[in-house]
């Protein structure tokens, strides 16, 4: 085959163009810090990178959900703590009032404080996070106590005649949040049964103390007031527990909330570990190895300079060069 001058020139220009493309590629990798800047550079790396980014986006969303779950559980725990503290104060007042040395006026003052404590606990039952009531089950837009206030059993059950212990009632159903792939965490505490029992008990206490204000009724004796404590008191049943039993129930519910908080901490740590792992894998998949890339860039530049030098000798001089 006859090799012409034009063929030598064309081959040289093509090789020089390829050399420029290589140097351009290495410059892009050094500038962007990525070994690919478009999917066509390496489809396999691009697809894997997309997968890693999906995992990271999902991780970020789960961490946002964790924050929401912590808010629910922290608010619930704080409210139950105040309920427990209030019940301790109620017990102190009942013990004080059970002493028959108290005058009618002194017991009336105790009655007023218990009335305010009951109103405070009802307010705690209507605790909100944003526009959501935390103790109303899945009926998060409905308060637990309304009108006077009384327990909102009918609305929370969505039936005409409901009970606060109906496990199928919306007011007793769970609110769950996704915290990991395939894992949901209950963040609410159904308050109908718990706050209903507390409110019923305090209503009974108010009713007993109200006899001191009604001249047509016989004032409650110290023994009757003392019977409000413990399960051995008059009228104590499993459905109408005394104060000690109610306080124990509040502590049990709060312990459950605490257990969920501990699990959330474990899940948060797991998400943080996963984020670090996925980020590392994504970096290994697509980040530029600067030492290697700089070495290849210098090598490509040396080859390019050699090509220019050889090419200058291959191309024959033109007529213009002779005239000059």
């Amino acid at each position: 085959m006859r090799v012409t001058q034009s063929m030598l020139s064309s081959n040289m220009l093509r090789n020089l163009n390829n050399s420029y493309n290589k140097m351009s590629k290495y410059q892009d990798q050094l500038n962007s810090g990525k070994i690919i800047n478009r999917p066509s550079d390496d489809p396999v790396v691009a697809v894997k990178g997309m997968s890693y980014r999906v995992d990271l986006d999902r991780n970020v969303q789960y961490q946002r959900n964790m924050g929401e779950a912590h808010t629910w559980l922290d608010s619930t725990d704080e409210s139950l703590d105040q309920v427990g503290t209030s019940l301790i104060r109620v017990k102190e007042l009942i013990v004080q009032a059970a002493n028959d040395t108290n005058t009618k006026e002194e017991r009336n003052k105790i009655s007023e404080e218990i009335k305010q404590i009951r109103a405070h606990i009802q307010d705690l039952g209507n605790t909100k996070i944003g526009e959501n009531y935390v103790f109303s089950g899945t009926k998060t837009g409905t308060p637990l106590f309304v009108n006077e206030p009384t327990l909102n059993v009918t609305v929370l059950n969505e039936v005409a005649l409901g009970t606060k212990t109906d496990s199928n009632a919306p007011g007793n159903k769970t609110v769950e949040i996704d915290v990991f792939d395939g894992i949901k965490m209950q963040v609410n505490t159904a308050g109908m049964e718990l706050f209903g029992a507390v409110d019923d008990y305090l209503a009974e206490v108010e009713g007993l103390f109200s006899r001191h204000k009604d001249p047509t009724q016989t004032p409650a004796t110290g023994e009757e007031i003392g019977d409000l404590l413990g399960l051995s008191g008059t009228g104590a049943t499993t459905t109408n527990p005394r104060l000690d039993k109610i306080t124990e129930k509040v502590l049990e519910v709060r312990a459950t909330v605490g257990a969920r908080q501990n699990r959330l901490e474990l899940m948060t740590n797991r998400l943080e570990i996963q984020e670090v792992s996925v980020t590392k894998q994504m970096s290994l998949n697509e980040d530029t190895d600067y030492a290697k890339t700089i070495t290849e860039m210098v090598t490509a530049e040396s080859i390019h300079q050699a090509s220019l030098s050889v090419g200058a000798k291959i191309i024959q001089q033109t007529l213009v060069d002779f005239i000059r």
Side-chain angles (χ1 to χ4, degrees):
M1 181 181 70
R2 180 172 176 270
V3 178
T4 65
Q5 182 64 36
S6 62
M7 292 174 61
L8 291 175
S9 299
S10 298
N11 288 336
M12 187 195 73
L13 291 175
R14 184 176 65 254
N15 291 331
L16 287 176
N17 187 54
N18 291 336
S19 180
Y20 277 123
N21 287 335
K22 283 185 179 180
M23 288 191 293
S24 175
K25 172 185 174 183
Y26 294 137
Q27 286 177 341
D28 289 342
Q29 290 179 0
L30 291 174
N31 290 333
S32 65
K34 303 294 182 182
I35 62 175
I36 64 170
N37 291 283
R38 58 189 66 84
S40 59
D41 290 342
D42 191 328
V44 175
V45 171
V47 171
K48 290 176 67 176
M50 292 172 59
S51 176
Y52 290 136
R53 282 171 173 76
V54 169
D55 289 341
L56 282 178
D57 290 343
R58 189 182 295 117
N59 185 285
V60 170
Q61 183 59 56
Y62 287 144
Q63 291 193 40
R64 290 198 194 100
N65 293 353
M66 286 285 190
E68 182 72 12
H70 275 296
T71 301
W72 275 73
L73 293 176
D74 290 345
S75 297
T76 301
D77 183 64
E78 181 181 347
S79 298
L80 292 177
D81 177 52
Q82 294 186 48
V83 171
T85 302
S86 299
L87 291 178
I88 291 174
R89 179 56 182 165
V90 169
K91 183 174 182 178
E92 293 173 352
L93 293 173
I94 291 176
V95 171
Q96 179 182 343
N99 192 331
D100 283 327
T101 60
N102 287 289
T103 63
K104 177 180 178 181
E105 289 74 18
E106 289 173 335
R107 283 179 171 167
N108 284 340
K109 292 177 182 177
I110 293 174
S111 174
E112 284 300 318
E113 183 172 352
I114 290 177
K115 181 179 180 180
Q116 293 303 315
I117 291 175
R118 182 188 179 192
H120 175 61
I121 291 178
Q122 289 173 340
D123 291 338
L124 293 173
N126 288 341
T127 299
K128 294 177 68 176
I129 297 176
E131 297 300 321
N132 299 317
Y133 292 92
V134 299
F135 293 110
S136 297
T138 53
K139 298 285 287 186
T140 55
T142 305
L144 197 63
F145 291 94
V146 293
N147 302 328
E148 293 309 321
T150 56
L151 190 65
N152 196 5
V153 175
T154 302
V155 175
L156 294 176
N157 275 305
E158 291 185 335
V159 292
L161 297 174
T163 64
K164 56 179 173 284
T165 58
D166 183 4
S167 60
N168 293 320
N172 281 329
K173 289 185 177 180
T174 61
V175 176
E176 296 180 332
I177 292 180
D178 291 323
V179 294
F180 208 78
D181 288 337
I183 299 177
K184 296 179 181 290
M185 176 72 70
Q186 179 182 344
V187 296
N188 75 317
T189 297
M192 275 208 302
E193 182 177 358
L194 177 64
F195 280 90
V198 173
D199 193 64
D200 289 346
Y201 174 79
L202 294 179
E204 179 184 349
V205 174
E206 278 191 39
L208 188 64
F209 276 97
S210 67
R211 288 163 51 183
H212 295 280
K213 302 178 183 179
D214 190 347
T216 64
Q217 296 186 13
T218 304
T221 63
E223 182 179 358
E224 288 178 309
I225 295 174
D227 284 344
L228 294 170
L229 303 175
L231 280 174
S232 60
T234 303
T237 64
T238 55
T239 57
N240 184 26
R242 303 292 87 188
L243 181 57
D244 289 344
K245 194 68 175 178
I246 293 174
T247 303
E248 181 181 342
K249 180 63 177 177
V250 172
L251 291 175
E252 289 177 359
V253 174
R254 193 179 177 195
T256 301
V257 173
R260 293 183 194 142
Q261 288 176 310
N262 291 336
R263 188 183 178 193
L264 271 183
E265 291 294 337
L266 295 175
M267 296 302 298
T268 300
N269 293 336
R270 184 179 178 185
L271 283 174
E272 290 174 352
I273 293 172
Q274 185 196 46
E275 181 181 13
V276 172
S277 177
V278 174
T279 302
K280 179 180 178 181
Q281 292 300 319
M282 186 171 67
S283 176
L284 293 173
N285 178 63
E286 61 189 50
D287 283 357
T288 298
D289 184 342
Y290 281 94
K292 179 181 177 182
T293 304
I294 290 173
T295 301
E296 291 177 344
M297 177 72 176
V298 172
T299 301
E301 287 179 343
S302 299
I303 295 173
H304 182 71
Q305 292 298 328
S307 298
L308 289 175
S309 177
V310 172
K313 296 178 181 180
I314 291 176
I315 298 177
Q316 295 179 355
Q317 293 180 331
T318 66
L319 179 61
V320 176
D321 293 317
F322 286 104
I323 293 175
R324 187 178 56 184

